[in-house]
Amino acid sequence: MGGDWFDVIGLSGARVALVVGDVVGHGIHAAATMGRLRTAVRTLADVDLAPEELLTRLDDLVIRLSAESGAGAEPEGTQVAGDIGATCLYAVYDPVSRRCSMALAGHPPPAVVRPDGTAGFLDVPVGPPLGLGGLPFEPADVTLPEGSLLALYTDGLIHARHADIGEGLDALREALAAPADSLDSLCDHVVRTMLPDHSADDAALLLVRSRALDRRRVAVWDVDAEAAAVARTRSDAVRVLDEWGLEEAASVTELVVSELVTNAIRYGDPPIQLRLIHDRMLICEVSDSSSTAPHLRRARVLDEGGRGLLLVAQLTERWGTRQTAAGKTIWCEQPLAAAGGPLTPRRDSPPHDRAVSGPRAA
């Protein structure tokens, strides 16, 4: 029993977070710590933090866990931070831009096999392991060609047979470049190659194949910061839904677009932008340059406003806010069932591949 784990977490805007982590040691203590860190990562991912910010928060948590585990066991004033060692790789893939943003905390770099078959390792700045504190984590952005294979793993996969880390990385690169019918079969091949004797050390391997969202399934409008722009934007959104074959979603989408755009005009700062994404859910996003996040509240009987976000929350499956480098984005997801049943695109609209497929642990 060890502390290696992996996770795949759906985010807003059709994005997905990919996580691999490793807690030093074995046994119940390592497994319990792994469970707490995995839960913390899921909670922080829900806040939609950037990879480097998420690792900074996770670093603080490991320091607190180390202090708690050493409380009462050391003389007063003795620093016990660092008793719990852990590494982590956190990446966010956006199928619209094909951009993958990631940050490392003392973890081995991810491997990539491009569509032409060339395999290598991404050049990502390696930050300190979790639990040291005081040192920054640096992010890296990589644009992945559609169909690229991304491999996230723990050091148990490359240290089992090779004392030299360079030899282990070379063996992993060769194993990942082998032809395979599916991600499952490739994962089996990599495990057999790297761990033929079932090493005592635990290991985790996550393989994903990148897909790109068809541009015809994304619609973007710049919105003027004036009241008259609400009606124009609402009309444009309905027109696009008709092109996507989602006419029965128009009534709900009209209300959602009206509320979110109106809030951005009244309380946000220009530039304002509306984006609709036709994925497994119908996603509506409104962005502006203000960093002030809205809060859901219940309006009193005589209040003239304050019901917009409550209406959005009641009409959609999920909604939320994420901070961006230029301000904020308010988003909501409308289930396809609300559009009159499962999505049936028009014949001129190509099928959409999922952003991630085939997670597998070893």
Side-chain angles (χ1 to χ4, degrees), residues 40-41 44-45 49-59 88 90:
V41 169
L44 294 172
L49 297 175
E52 68 276 14
E53 295 179 6
L54 184 142
L55 291 183
T56 299
R57 301 283 187 90
L58 198 62
D59 184 51
C88 186
Y90 185 83

Side-chain angles (χ1 to χ4, degrees), residues 17-281:
L18 311 171
V19 193
V20 168
D22 184 4
V23 176
V24 175
H26 299 86
I28 296 295
H29 181 68
T33 302
M34 176 268 289
R36 297 180 72 173
L37 295 185
R38 182 173 183 267
T39 300
V41 169
R42 277 194 160 267
T43 302
L44 294 172
D46 192 52
V47 184
D48 228 325
L49 297 175
E52 68 276 14
E53 295 179 6
L54 184 142
L55 291 183
T56 299
R57 301 283 187 90
L58 198 62
D59 184 51
D60 294 337
L61 173 62
V62 172
I63 292 175
R64 290 197 300 270
L65 292 178
S66 296
E68 292 173 2
S69 65
E74 297 290 339
E76 185 176 356
T78 301
Q79 184 178 5
V80 295
D83 290 346
I84 297 177
T87 66
C88 186
L89 188 164
Y90 185 83
V92 175
Y93 177 71
D94 185 349
V96 177
S97 64
R98 295 184 290 108
R99 189 179 70 175
C100 187
S101 304
M102 63 189 71
L104 304 180
H107 205 83
V112 62
V113 181
R114 302 188 182 277
D116 60 3
T118 58
F121 295 91
L122 295 178
D123 185 14
V124 183
V126 182
L130 298 172
L132 296 183
L135 298 175
F137 300 99
E138 298 183 26
D141 291 341
V142 179
T143 300
L144 297 175
E146 184 176 8
S148 298
L149 174 71
L150 194 63
L152 285 65
Y153 55 93
T154 57
D155 60 359
L157 190 69
I158 56 177
H159 284 312
R161 296 179 56 197
H162 305 87
D164 181 75
I165 187 172
E167 295 179 359
L169 292 175
D170 289 341
L172 177 60
R173 180 173 58 242
E174 294 178 4
L176 289 171
D181 296 333
S182 66
L183 291 182
D184 283 335
S185 59
L186 179 59
C187 194
D188 291 337
H189 169 72
V190 172
V191 171
R192 287 194 302 266
T193 302
M194 302 300 295
L195 304 173
D197 302 323
H198 302 286
S199 170
D201 192 12
D202 54 332
L205 172 64
L206 173 65
L207 300 182
V208 298
R209 182 84 66 185
S210 66
R211 301 298 183 198
L213 189 64
D214 191 283
R215 289 293 180 179
R216 288 173 290 181
R217 291 177 176 256
V218 180
V220 182
W221 298 271
D222 293 324
V223 181
D224 296 329
E226 58 182 18
V230 178
R232 294 196 300 269
T233 306
R234 186 171 58 234
S235 176
D236 290 338
V238 172
R239 173 180 51 80
V240 168
L241 291 184
D242 180 68
E243 295 175 358
W244 288 344
L246 298 176
E247 297 90 345
E248 296 188 24
S251 58
V252 171
T253 305
E254 277 188 287
L255 290 173
V256 168
V257 168
S258 293
E259 294 297 338
L260 295 185
V261 171
T262 299
N263 280 349
I265 293 175
R266 287 182 178 177
Y267 308 113
D269 297 322
I272 301 171
Q273 187 180 80
L274 168 67
R275 185 168 75 157
L276 293 181
I277 301 176
H278 178 190
D279 193 32
R280 287 169 291 173
M281 305 278 270

